[in-house]
Amino acid sequence: AGDCVFVHELLSKPGTAAPSELNGMRVGVLSGWQGRVSAPVAAAMEASCAALREQGVQICEVELSLAHVVPSVAYVIMLIESSRQWLTEAERQSVNVGADVLEQLREGQRIDTSGGCYEIAVALARSLRVETMEAFRSQGLSALLSPMTASSGFRDDAATVAVASDRQVATTDALSRYAALASVTGLPALSLPAGLDDGVPVAVQLIGGPFDERMIATLARPIEEGPGHVVDMRRRKLGLSTPAT
């Protein structure tokens, strides 16, 4: 996480300074993930909360009334903006573009011409940012914590993946459901390993306030050194490179 912030600040202006210690800080755990992720992801969330509590961080539950529309809002905006940007060129060079990508771009065009969808999605995105920032303000939060994906890694040819109670969900949903909030609100976010599932890394996500990249990197440290440590050890065992200290 420290390396991520270092590179970020090489590419942009330095963000808000992070406090020297975590004791007394508050981190909100987004509600609604319980029962909708695989058991290893749930365990990673619990272990991450425990690692933060050991540093004196207070964990509280945060509920966003518009959270249920986040994946749809992100998907609509992505499809429409991608179509506007790339459809003409993709069709011109269709022989070099995957059929699934081309169909998604065309779907974005169909949605774009169906009457006000983009304007509605953008308005909802603004409302989500306002609601999220109000949660930061009213509860004195330094960051939000959520799963990164609904399951650990899976084969690249898998169409679905098992989550809680062996319920199957589409892999695209498993990958994007929790990542969508940061995309929609434009807030900084950090994905970091927080455990293993049969040797495969499991990730959690920290979302910060505007320009709080240093803050979420600081909060990531106990998770990296706690439940995330097994991932580093696994990489060493496999002879893979590890982050510089």
Side-chain angles (χ1 to χ4, degrees):
D3 291 343
C4 289
V5 171
F6 176 74
V7 173
H8 177 272
E9 294 186 352
L10 288 177
L11 300 172
S12 65
K13 295 179 181 179
T16 306
S20 57
E21 64 175 47
L22 302 182
N23 187 40
M25 293 172 61
R26 289 171 61 84
V27 169
V29 174
L30 286 174
S31 63
W33 64 269
Q34 297 89 340
R36 301 185 65 191
V37 300
S38 66
V41 174
M45 281 290 294
E46 295 299 333
S48 297
C49 288
L52 290 171
R53 288 192 182 100
E54 288 179 1
Q55 299 298 315
V57 176
Q58 301 175 41
I59 304 295
C60 59
E61 186 170 282
V62 174
E63 185 171 352
L64 301 178
S65 65
L66 292 173
H68 63 288
V69 303
V70 170
S72 298
V73 169
Y75 193 57
V76 167
I77 293 175
M78 178 196 71
L79 282 180
I80 292 176
E81 292 186 350
S82 297
S83 177
R84 290 178 178 180
Q85 181 73 25
W86 299 113
L87 179 57
T88 300
E89 184 67 12
E91 289 185 327
R92 189 176 71 83
Q93 300 193 44
S94 59
V95 68
N96 298 317
V97 179
D100 56 336
V101 173
L102 192 56
E103 176 54 31
Q104 281 195 320
L105 292 173
R106 288 169 176 163
E107 179 64 18
Q109 184 183 54
R110 289 191 287 270
I111 296 173
D112 199 7
T113 58
S114 63
C117 285
Y118 183 72
E119 289 74 18
I120 293 170
V122 169
L124 284 168
R126 292 194 185 104
S127 296
L128 276 160
R129 181 180 173 93
V130 169
E131 184 179 19
T132 304
M133 293 310 303
E134 174 58 22
F136 270 84
R137 187 200 64 78
S138 64
Q139 299 195 44
L141 302 179
S142 297
L144 293 171
L145 175 70
S146 80
M148 186 67 242
T149 57
S151 73
S152 56
F154 42 81
R155 291 179 57 92
D156 61 4
D157 59 353
T160 63
V161 62
V163 292
S165 302
D166 294 327
R167 183 168 63 91
Q168 295 285 326
V169 300
T171 54
T172 52
D173 179 54
L175 288 171
S176 62
R177 180 190 305 166
Y178 300 105
L181 180 62
S183 297
V184 166
T185 58
L187 295 174
L190 180 68
S191 170
L192 64 153
L196 290 171
D197 174 16
D198 194 23
V200 178
V202 180
V204 296
Q205 174 182 224
L206 286 165
I207 301 175
F211 309 110
D212 271 354
E213 284 82 0
R214 289 181 180 178
M215 177 72 77
I216 55 179
T218 301
L219 285 165
R221 188 172 302 157
I223 300 174
E224 284 184 322
E225 296 173 353
H229 180 64
V230 296
V231 180
D232 181 48
M233 296 302 294
R234 177 68 172 176
R235 290 177 62 85
R236 292 176 187 274
K237 186 176 181 179
L238 293 173
L240 301 175
S241 62
T242 56
T245 55

